Structure formats: C-alpha cells, structure tokens
Amino acid sequence: MVFNKLVELGRVGYIAYGPDSGKLCAIVNIIDQNRAHVDGPQIKRQSINFKELHLTSFVIPNVAYGCRNGTLMKKWTAEKIDEKWAETTWAKKIANKALRAKLGDFDRFKLMKAKQYRNRLINLEFGKIRKESKKAPPKKRRVNKVPHLK
C-alpha cells in the first residue's frame, strides 16, 4: 500500500501552521474531506484543516467517535505518545532547530571551531587509510571464462 498514514480516529498529528503550530494532537472526529476535530494535551478541541496538519505514524487505538477530552488524555498517557514522539528523528530535528535558533554569536563560533576540529581528525584518518591502500599491492583480478557453445 502506498499510503501508511491514513486519516482515522485516534491518528496523532503535528500541527504545522497556525497559532498552535508545533503541537501534537489526535483526531477525534472527521468533519469532511478537508477538516477534522482535533484534541490534545496542549491544545483545546478545535476544527483544523488537513493542510495545517501533518500526520504521524502513531495511532491511539479504540478512540470513539467524538470522545471526551479526559478519555482521550487517559489513552494518550497509556500509549505514551509524548515519549514515543520524543524518540523520533522528526522531533529531534525540531528540537535541534530550536536549539540552534537560540545560539548566540560566541556559541556559533564555538560550534564552528568544534566542526573544524572534527573534520581535521576525519581527514587525517582518511589520509592514513589512503596512504596504506597505495602501499598494498593491487589485487589479482579473476577472469571469468565463458564456456564455448558447440
């Protein structure tokens, strides 16, 4: 199947645009092909357009149609959605981006110097490996003999 993140009740989404951008929510009701009711620990229940919502791979099972906030929160904590989200590379990239946005001039300078030092170490090791490979004799090639057809 091409699509594995379907719009369904209990699907966890990441709000990408609007006043609640950057927060997680769960779909509790599908209004039509463009909108759904969402609810979550950080947001109030509201209608949101699917264009503003990025679906994640997490689904809260057995979410009833239009379930209450308390019921959803119990299932949210039982499924440990926040912990699972924090482990994803998507969440880590967002956290790194926020961290880099907070860096000052001196912190950016220190980061630049640390990268230069790391790259020098990598290049030194690569140079040693390349030098050793030039000293080694070339490997003999095997010739594949094709049997002649009679």
Side-chain angles (χ1 to χ4, degrees):
M1 206 169 148
V2 178
F3 300 107
N4 54 4
K5 298 176 188 174
L6 303 174
V7 175
E8 57 185 321
L9 295 180
R11 175 68 67 178
V12 178
Y14 176 79
I15 301 175
Y17 308 105
D20 290 323
S21 64
K23 297 178 183 175
L24 291 178
C25 63
I27 297 175
V28 292
N29 184 9
I30 299 169
I31 300 170
D32 59 16
Q33 63 186 10
N34 294 321
R35 295 174 296 149
H37 278 137
V38 294
D39 199 357
Q42 302 170 346
I43 64 168
K44 292 183 178 180
R45 183 171 297 218
Q46 60 185 320
S47 171
I48 192 167
N49 196 324
F50 289 130
K51 292 179 183 177
E52 300 172 7
L53 189 67
H54 293 188
L55 299 177
T56 65
S57 58
F58 306 121
V59 179
I60 302 172
N62 302 327
V63 172
Y65 174 80
C67 73
R68 294 182 176 185
N69 188 8
T71 308
L72 183 69
M73 292 306 110
K74 286 178 187 175
K75 291 182 180 185
W76 186 284
T77 54
E79 288 294 315
K80 299 180 182 176
I81 298 296
D82 291 324
E83 290 85 10
K84 289 179 183 178
W85 170 252
E87 293 173 2
T88 62
T89 55
W90 188 358
K92 289 176 185 175
K93 284 181 186 179
I94 292 169
N96 280 340
K97 195 172 184 179
L99 184 66
R100 284 184 172 242
K102 292 179 184 176
L103 290 179
D105 287 344
F106 187 58
D107 293 327
R108 280 194 295 273
F109 175 76
K110 289 192 292 188
L111 180 65
M112 178 191 72
K113 286 297 184 183
K115 283 182 176 182
Q116 285 177 350
Y117 180 71
R118 180 196 63 195
N119 290 336
R120 279 193 194 109
L121 290 177
I122 291 170
N123 286 332
L124 283 173
E125 290 299 317
F126 178 70
K128 289 177 186 175
I129 293 170
R130 186 172 25 163
K131 192 173 182 181
E132 289 175 11
S133 69
K134 286 183 179 179
K135 289 180 181 178
K139 295 179 181 177
K140 293 182 180 179
R141 292 188 178 185
R142 249 179 47 193
V143 178
N144 293 334
K145 293 183 180 180
V146 180
H148 297 287
L149 299 174
K150 292 182 182 180

